[in-house]
């Protein structure tokens, strides 16, 4: 039968889609199946399937085949044009177009678009916008068909078109490996499937090179590694391709000859990451070797400071690069406040910064001084060379808090921007998780003896009474915290992962807000994993359905398996220098425009930014987020599942320690005792980085 999509009801991560559709705008029913992947409200479909009785939702059509067709009746055309599928056409303009052209409306847009100006409120600019949007939509529809032929998700069509535009079809057919690393959601396996079905030989040099690069990129993005050993790289590639080891080694040599990778003794780097490590070591050496421009006397003893805090103050005043580290309750923020106050009292200038907006805001609140994100301090400029040559940071002392979050790229831009003679103080908890991006900058600096550092270990009286602080220090030293806990730290044992997930949602949306008399927005769900019954994807959906369910008249838009509604809490997950938003900030969806195909978000700092429907990969729902994404933030109340799902691969001591220290008043862990024990016991491996050795070498040479 032919039917029009009225509303998306549910989209699972595996693309299983449930939609409400109608025949001629009258007979309405539910259709479901993976064949519906990627459909949007307003589209006209030709469906094949079987009627089935769902035990919970009643009768629905289980779809086995779905083809998009152009609507032919006047009503269907108006619904199609007014759905927001074509940027620039909303319900009112759709009515005007159909009122003027009738059943020929789509034919006019497709073959005689110049006639659109005959319609009231369509001038040359709007007419051109509609034409471009129409062509884009047709191109994406064609790409969907092509991808289906390759056995690949049609949901990727819009992303591919966004990157390659009119060349998308050519790239798919001639060099699909170009998709890897350029199109979000396309890993080597997907590109390889397309390539093999296009006739690329399994042993082709093109395929082997792409696999080698993919293994290095996966190590960087998935594990934070800057390099792999040649043996590990070749072994992983052989396993991935099931190819001869000699052939793989030959193509690795070819990549080296093409300068796409850099080989050092027992290490193979992507060219970009190698360059960043080399540059960061050089910039740190420059700063460490520079003569200080601060003309300050040593800090006099202050009775309000512990002995190691006074040592830290003098270190920051006399060393051009230094590191201050320590756990919760040890007075890092008070020490920073005293350092900054001393520099300012003696005529110096101070800039305080942190990697994320929330971390910067928290730093400002704790020190009573202005703070900003590192990106804002650097003027949004993504080019490290431009930063150093054109925009140095004008401050006698630069303090960067939450320095464990600094990845290799951001650290390079930071150090390149600081003039010789200025002081850089990195402050952070070295026991927390390392950065999301590749590198382990703070830990590497602590391995270099010539870098001055102070570790604060004294827990102050006001923090000693906190069960969160006690639990965190127990975890850091490999001890199981007192259970079930009390005060601000609680562990609630629930063996079944599904029941644990339900309990987390209940605590976050009802129990804690009711008991504490607070808005549910003050309770944050944190998850060790993204997938599974207790992962961010499923828990986020469950919390969203409780706190912001669909409602008549409430605007919403589906992007893959995520639905965005007005009122949703969201988080940018990638830096966008043009928009001025950065990874880790949070905001609220304030408007969704089907006509303009945009989602507006008010960031917590008050700025409102607009995301196109094709940019929503840059956002994620913030109802449940990963522990990594919570770094630098502090929440009044934290609820987290701990279950041994999928082997509990993410359960590590650093992750649990970071999770617990994100909570200010309460942290409630829900799940299996075995999962908690595993997380405390497992230390986790070290990232493959060469920065420490590289810095030692450059310091020795300098």
């Amino acid at each position: 039968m032919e039917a029009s999509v009225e509303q998306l009801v549910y989209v699972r991560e595996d693309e299983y889609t449930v939609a409400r559709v109608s025949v001629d705008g009258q007979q309405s029913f539910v259709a479901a199946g993976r064949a519906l992947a990627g459909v949007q409200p307003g589209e006209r479909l030709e469906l094949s399937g079987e009627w089935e009785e769902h035990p919970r939702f009643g009768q629905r059509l289980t779809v086995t085949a779905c083809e998009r067709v152009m609507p032919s009746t006047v009503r269907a055309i108006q619904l199609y044009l007014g759905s927001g599928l074509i940027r620039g056409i909303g319900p009112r303009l759709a009515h005007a177009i159909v009122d003027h052209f009738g059943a020929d409306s789509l034919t006019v847009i497709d073959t005689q678009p110049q006639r659109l100006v005959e319609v009231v409120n369509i001038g040359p600019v709007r007419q051109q916008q509609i034409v471009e949007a129409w062509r884009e939509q047709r191109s994406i529809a064609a790409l969907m068909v092509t991808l289906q032929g390759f056995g690949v998700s049609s949901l990727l069509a819009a992303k591919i078109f966004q990157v390659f535009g009119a060349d998308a079809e050519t790239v798919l057919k001639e060099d699909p490996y170009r998709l890897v690393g350029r199109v979000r959601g396309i890993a080597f396996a997907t590109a390889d499937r397309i390539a093999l079905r296009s006739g690329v030989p399994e042993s082709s040099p093109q395929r082997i090179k792409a696999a080698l690069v993919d293994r290095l990129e996966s190590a960087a993005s998935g594990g934070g590694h800057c390099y792999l050993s040649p043996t590990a790289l070749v072994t992983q590639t052989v396993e991935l391709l099931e190819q001869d080891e000699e052939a793989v080694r030959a193509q690795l040599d070819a990549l080296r000859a093409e300068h796409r990778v850099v080989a050092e003794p027992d290490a193979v780097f992507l060219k970009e990451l190698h360059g960043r490590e080399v540059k960061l070591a050089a910039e740190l050496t420059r700063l460490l070797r520079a003569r200080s421009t601060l003309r300050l006397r040593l800090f006099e003893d202050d009775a309000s400071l512990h002995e190691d805090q006074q040592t830290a103050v003098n270190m920051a005043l006399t060393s051009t690069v230094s590191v201050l580290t320590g756990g919760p309750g040890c007075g890092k923020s008070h020490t920073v406040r005293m350092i900054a106050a001393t520099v300012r009292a003696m005529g110096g200038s101070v800039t305080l910064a942190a990697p994320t907006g929330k971390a910067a805001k928290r730093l400002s609140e704790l020190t009573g001084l202005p703070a900003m994100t590192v990106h804002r301090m650097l003027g949004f400029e993504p080019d490290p060379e431009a930063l150093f040559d054109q925009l140095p940071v004008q401050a006698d002392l630069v303090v960067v808090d939450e320095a464990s979050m600094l990845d290799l790229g951001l650290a390079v831009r930071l150090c390149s921007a600081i003039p010789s003679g200025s002081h850089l103080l990195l402050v952070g908890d070295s026991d927390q998780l390392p950065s999301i991006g590749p590198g382990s900058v703070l830990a590497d600096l602590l391995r270099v003896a010539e870098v001055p550092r102070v570790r604060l270990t004294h827990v102050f009286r006001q923090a000693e009474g906190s069960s969160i602080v006690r639990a965190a220090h127990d975890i850091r030293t490999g001890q199981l915290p007192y259970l079930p806990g009390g005060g601000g730290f609680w562990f609630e044992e629930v063996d079944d992962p599904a029941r644990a997930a339900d309990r987390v949602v209940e605590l976050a949306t009802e129990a804690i807000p009711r008991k504490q008399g607070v808005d549910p927005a003050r309770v944050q769900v944190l998850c060790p994993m993204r997938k599974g019954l207790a992962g961010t994807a499923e828990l986020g959906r469950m919390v969203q359905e409780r706190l912001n369910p669909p409602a008549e008249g409430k605007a919403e838009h589906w992007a893959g398996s995520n639905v965005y509604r007005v009122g949703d809490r969201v988080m940018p997950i990638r830096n966008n220098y043009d928009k001025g938003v950065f990874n880790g900030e949070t905001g609220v969806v304030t408007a969704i425009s089907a006509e303009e195909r945009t989602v507006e978000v008010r960031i917590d700092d008050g700025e409102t930014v607009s995301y196109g429907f094709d940019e929503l990969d840059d956002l994620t729902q913030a109802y449940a987020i990963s522990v990594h994404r919570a770094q630098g933030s502090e929440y009044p109340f934290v609820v987290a599942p701990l279950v041994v799902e999928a082997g509990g691969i993410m359960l590590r001591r650093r992750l649990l320690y970071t999770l617990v220290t994100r909570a200010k008043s309460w942290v409630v862990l829900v799940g299996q005792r075995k999962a908690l024990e595993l997380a405390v016991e497992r230390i986790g491996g070290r990232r493959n980085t060469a920065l420490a050795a590289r810095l030692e070498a450059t310091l020795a040479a300098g």
Side-chain angles (χ1 to χ4, degrees):
M1 66 178 70
E2 283 194 14
S4 296
V5 182
E6 290 185 348
Q7 178 189 17
L8 292 178
V9 177
Y10 177 61
V11 182
R12 217 161 53 194
E13 282 202 307
D14 63 1
E15 300 181 5
Y16 182 86
T17 301
V18 180
R20 180 159 292 280
V21 301
S22 66
V23 177
D24 296 328
Q26 296 176 358
Q27 181 188 353
S28 178
F29 60 92
V30 171
R34 289 191 180 88
L36 292 172
V39 302
Q40 291 292 327
E43 285 190 312
R44 185 78 170 172
L45 310 173
E46 184 178 277
L47 304 175
S48 300
E50 296 181 359
W51 290 107
E52 293 185 353
E53 191 71 23
H54 190 278
R56 182 177 172 188
F57 300 110
Q59 190 182 54
R60 65 185 189 181
L61 182 69
T62 298
V63 179
T64 55
C66 168
E67 288 188 19
R68 290 166 173 81
V69 295
M70 283 294 105
S72 55
T73 68
V74 169
R75 176 176 173 78
I77 291 171
Q78 184 171 325
L79 288 172
Y80 175 75
L81 290 177
S83 66
L85 278 169
I86 310 301
R87 184 183 288 109
I89 303 180
R92 290 183 181 179
L93 198 53
H95 177 78
I97 291 172
V98 174
D99 188 55
H100 187 76
F101 296 115
D104 295 327
S105 296
L106 298 184
T107 302
V108 169
I109 296 174
D110 194 34
T111 62
Q112 298 175 290
Q114 67 279 4
R115 291 190 60 196
L116 283 171
V117 294
E118 297 173 17
V119 179
V120 177
N121 293 328
I122 296 184
V125 174
R126 177 60 64 91
Q127 182 258 356
Q128 186 60 35
Q129 181 185 24
I130 293 171
V131 169
E132 290 175 0
W134 173 262
R135 288 173 179 165
E136 177 180 321
Q137 196 64 31
R138 297 296 294 271
S139 297
I140 291 172
L143 276 177
M144 285 181 167
V145 174
T146 302
L147 290 173
Q148 287 172 346
F150 288 126
V152 173
S153 169
S154 59
L155 294 178
L156 297 169
K159 299 177 184 179
I160 295 171
F161 184 84
Q162 185 182 359
V163 174
F164 294 103
D167 296 328
E169 287 274 2
T170 303
V171 170
L172 279 175
K173 293 173 181 176
E174 294 183 2
D175 189 7
Y177 296 111
R178 287 178 61 191
L179 301 171
V180 182
R182 298 280 305 278
V183 179
R184 292 177 195 135
I186 296 188
F188 175 81
T190 301
D192 196 42
R193 188 182 310 139
I194 296 171
L196 293 176
R197 293 198 178 189
S198 298
V200 174
E202 290 188 0
S203 59
S204 73
Q206 173 195 27
R207 181 174 185 246
I208 296 174
K209 287 179 187 176
L212 285 162
V213 171
D214 173 74
R215 291 301 82 197
L216 289 172
E217 290 178 341
S218 295
S221 62
H225 300 297
C226 293
Y227 69 83
L228 288 176
S229 71
T231 301
L233 176 57
V234 170
T235 299
Q236 289 182 25
T237 307
V238 167
E239 291 175 353
L240 179 66
L241 300 181
E242 298 182 351
Q243 290 293 305
D244 178 72
E245 181 177 320
E246 187 175 334
V248 172
R249 290 190 180 278
Q251 295 312 313
L252 177 56
D253 290 339
L255 284 175
R256 291 172 56 189
E258 295 167 8
H259 304 292
R260 293 174 62 188
V261 302
V262 177
E264 291 186 345
D266 204 35
V268 180
F269 294 78
L270 288 168
K271 182 181 178 181
E272 181 183 29
L273 289 180
H274 181 268
R276 287 178 181 175
E277 264 203 359
V278 170
K279 184 169 179 60
L280 181 54
E283 295 297 343
L284 285 166
T285 299
R286 172 180 64 82
L287 293 174
L288 279 161
R289 290 284 182 252
R291 184 174 181 177
S292 171
T293 57
L294 279 174
R295 301 183 183 278
L296 303 176
R297 53 186 168 80
L298 287 180
F299 181 72
E300 296 178 4
D301 288 353
D302 187 317
S304 71
L305 295 178
H306 189 265
E307 181 181 347
D308 54 5
Q309 288 180 302
Q310 296 193 38
T311 302
V313 174
N314 282 321
M315 172 190 70
L317 298 182
T318 57
S319 303
T320 50
V321 176
S322 56
V323 177
L324 173 62
T325 186
C330 293
K332 294 193 299 295
S333 297
H334 181 61
T335 306
V336 169
R337 182 165 59 244
M338 295 302 296
I339 292 168
T342 303
V343 172
R344 294 176 68 174
M346 296 180 180
S349 58
V350 180
T351 295
L352 302 184
T356 68
K358 278 200 170 183
K361 183 178 180 181
R362 183 164 166 248
L363 175 62
S364 180
E365 291 170 349
L366 291 170
T367 62
L369 298 170
M372 67 186 83
T373 64
V374 175
H375 300 91
R376 292 189 190 281
M377 179 179 70
L378 301 179
F380 304 165
E381 176 57 60
D383 180 1
E385 292 295 337
L387 280 173
F388 180 61
D389 294 337
Q390 300 172 22
L391 192 69
V393 174
Q394 299 295 344
D396 295 304
L397 170 67
V398 177
V399 180
V400 177
D401 197 15
E402 297 289 354
S404 62
M405 298 176 67
L406 288 175
D407 63 16
L408 195 56
L410 187 56
V412 168
R413 295 198 288 273
L414 169 68
C415 292
S416 298
I418 299 175
S420 300
S422 292
H423 288 217
L424 171 64
L425 173 64
L426 298 176
V427 183
D429 189 339
S430 58
D431 293 309
Q432 287 189 20
L433 286 169
S435 57
I436 293 177
S440 189
V441 175
L442 183 64
D444 284 345
L445 290 182
L446 291 172
R447 294 188 187 106
V448 179
E450 201 165 336
V451 176
R453 84 286 308 276
V454 168
R455 181 181 182 91
L456 304 179
T457 57
H458 175 73
V459 179
F460 287 88
R461 185 175 301 170
Q462 61 267 31
E464 286 178 346
S466 167
S467 58
I468 293 177
V469 171
R470 290 200 306 272
H473 283 281
D474 285 343
I475 292 165
R476 183 181 66 80
T477 57
Q479 301 177 62
L480 197 68
Y482 173 74
L483 299 178
F489 174 83
W490 293 91
F491 175 74
E492 187 171 317
E493 189 165 359
V494 179
D495 280 334
D496 179 59
R499 287 203 308 112
D502 288 338
R503 180 58 176 157
V504 166
V505 173
E506 181 186 6
L507 285 164
T509 62
E510 296 178 16
I512 292 177
R514 182 176 62 248
K515 184 176 180 63
Q516 296 298 309
V518 298
D519 190 297
R522 301 191 68 202
V523 185
Q524 182 62 57
V525 176
L526 299 182
C527 303
M529 296 176 289
R530 192 182 76 83
K531 295 184 177 180
L533 293 172
T536 58
E538 184 62 18
L539 277 177
R541 183 190 65 78
M542 293 167 68
V543 174
Q544 181 192 34
E545 289 304 301
R546 290 276 193 101
L547 299 182
N548 194 23
E552 188 174 350
K554 182 187 291 184
E556 68 176 34
H557 174 73
W558 284 85
S561 59
N562 292 318
V563 59
Y564 293 92
R565 300 188 183 110
V566 171
D568 276 343
R569 289 154 51 189
V570 295
M571 172 183 285
I573 57 174
R574 293 180 183 85
N575 299 330
N576 189 310
Y577 297 91
D578 294 329
K579 296 183 191 299
V581 295
F582 302 103
N583 183 8
E585 296 181 325
T586 54
V588 175
V589 175
T590 55
I592 298 174
S593 171
E595 181 175 350
E596 298 302 325
R597 297 181 64 75
T598 57
V599 173
E600 288 199 352
V601 177
R602 186 181 66 249
I603 303 299
D604 287 344
D605 65 5
E607 293 290 323
T608 296
V609 296
S610 180
Y611 284 86
F613 285 177
D614 56 358
E615 297 178 306
L616 292 179
D617 270 0
D618 288 352
L619 279 182
T620 187
Q621 297 283 7
Y623 292 107
I625 61 175
S626 69
V627 179
H628 246 127
R629 298 214 179 279
Q631 279 184 273
S633 299
E634 187 178 66
Y635 309 95
F637 306 96
V638 167
V639 186
L642 283 183
V643 297
V644 190
E645 252 190 315
I649 191 170
M650 295 300 294
L651 295 175
R652 296 287 187 273
R653 187 181 301 171
R654 283 181 186 272
L655 183 139
L656 181 60
Y657 175 78
T658 304
L659 189 163
V660 169
T661 55
R662 296 311 88 204
K664 187 175 182 179
S665 299
W666 274 26
V667 57
V668 183
L669 308 178
V670 181
Q672 301 158 331
R673 185 185 177 97
K674 179 183 178 183
L676 179 64
E677 292 171 348
L678 277 175
V680 172
E681 292 169 5
R682 291 173 170 171
I683 297 176
R686 180 186 293 184
R687 290 182 170 185
N688 293 342
T689 68
L691 177 62
R694 213 178 293 283
L695 180 56
E696 288 173 341
T698 55
L699 286 170

